[in-house]
Amino acid sequence: MKNAVVLLSGGMDSAVVVAIARAQGFAVHALSVRYGQRHTSELDAAARVAQSLGGVAHKTVHVDLRSIGGSALTDDIDVPEAGGPGIPVTYVPARNTIMLSVALGWAEVLGASDIFCGVNAVDYSGYPDCRPEFIEAFEKLANLATKAGVEGAGLRIHAPLLRLSKADIVREGMRLGVDFSQTVSCYQADDQGRACGHCDACRLRAAGFADAGVPDPTHYA
């Protein structure tokens, strides 16, 4: 089995990506990032998911994005309960760039040529670092900026959910045996991982299960 680094937040999308990477025959090295987010229940969920889906390793790296703030997830800014125009305040500046960079470093150490992430450009909150152009650009950067890219076989950034609807993600997860009740997607979940049911992440998640015709296993406060 070839090694792959898979970014694992503990949410439903990244759980499905772990399952996809495993189904493709990769030995999954799951990587979570404690970046100063509002709650850590999603990191607890990440540990559960990594174990239940057969990851060979799970690492949590600390990056203090709270020290720069600028987001409702890392600063004293209220999480909105209704969408609006433009990029929402739940966008964390450069988060996916930073997380993929950390994953890139670990991939080099492991000798892995493949990095998986759960970005989605269909049913999402409008973040600029969830677009196909971003993934393409980061893959080019990865192959320019690393020893593995210059002297090795090259690096590939996989975003298998990029063009799937939330309902399609639910269906794919069900097909691959993902236990969605283990995951936490809410922006402001409590210490037990129970969701608020009102934030953008909760609304997108609930709509995905409804559209897929699958009972919603989310634990709500």
Side-chain angles (χ1 to χ4, degrees), residues 108-132:
E108 276 211 283
V109 172
L110 293 170
S113 299
D114 300 271
I115 298 170
F116 286 75
C117 63
V119 299
N120 174 261
V122 180
D123 289 336
Y124 75 122
S125 298
Y127 302 151
D129 53 3
C130 288
R131 296 176 298 164

Side-chain angles (χ1 to χ4, degrees), residues 29-132:
H29 292 70
L31 177 65
S32 302
V33 181
R34 185 188 295 269
Y35 60 85
Q37 54 266 64
R38 279 179 170 262
H39 60 82
T40 58
S41 54
E42 67 176 0
L43 295 173
D44 297 334
R48 294 192 298 268
V49 168
Q51 183 175 26
S52 69
L53 291 179
V56 299
H58 178 223
K59 183 187 296 290
T60 299
V61 173
H62 296 247
V63 179
D64 184 14
L65 297 185
R66 181 167 286 277
S67 64
I68 62 174
S71 167
L73 303 190
T74 59
D75 210 337
D76 296 325
I77 301 170
D78 290 337
V79 173
E81 294 191 353
I87 297 169
V89 296
T90 50
Y91 162 71
V92 179
R95 178 176 60 180
N96 283 349
T97 304
I98 292 166
M99 289 182 174
L100 279 169
S101 296
V102 176
L104 179 58
W106 196 21
E108 276 211 283
V109 172
L110 293 170
S113 299
D114 300 271
I115 298 170
F116 286 75
C117 63
V119 299
N120 174 261
V122 180
D123 289 336
Y124 75 122
S125 298
Y127 302 151
D129 53 3
C130 288
R131 296 176 298 164

Side-chain angles (χ1 to χ4, degrees), residues 39-40 47 55 57 69-70 76 84-86 88 105 110-111 120 156 165 176 180-181 194 199 221:
H39 60 82
T40 58
D76 296 325
L110 293 170
N120 174 261
R156 293 174 294 277
S165 69
L176 295 171
F180 285 113
S181 70
R194 295 178 300 185
C199 70

Side-chain angles (χ1 to χ4, degrees), residues 11-18 118-120 123 161 166 169 180 185:
M12 61 180 292
D13 293 353
S14 62
V16 174
V17 173
V18 169
V119 299
N120 174 261
D123 289 336
L161 310 185
K166 215 65 166 180
I169 293 169
F180 285 113
S185 300

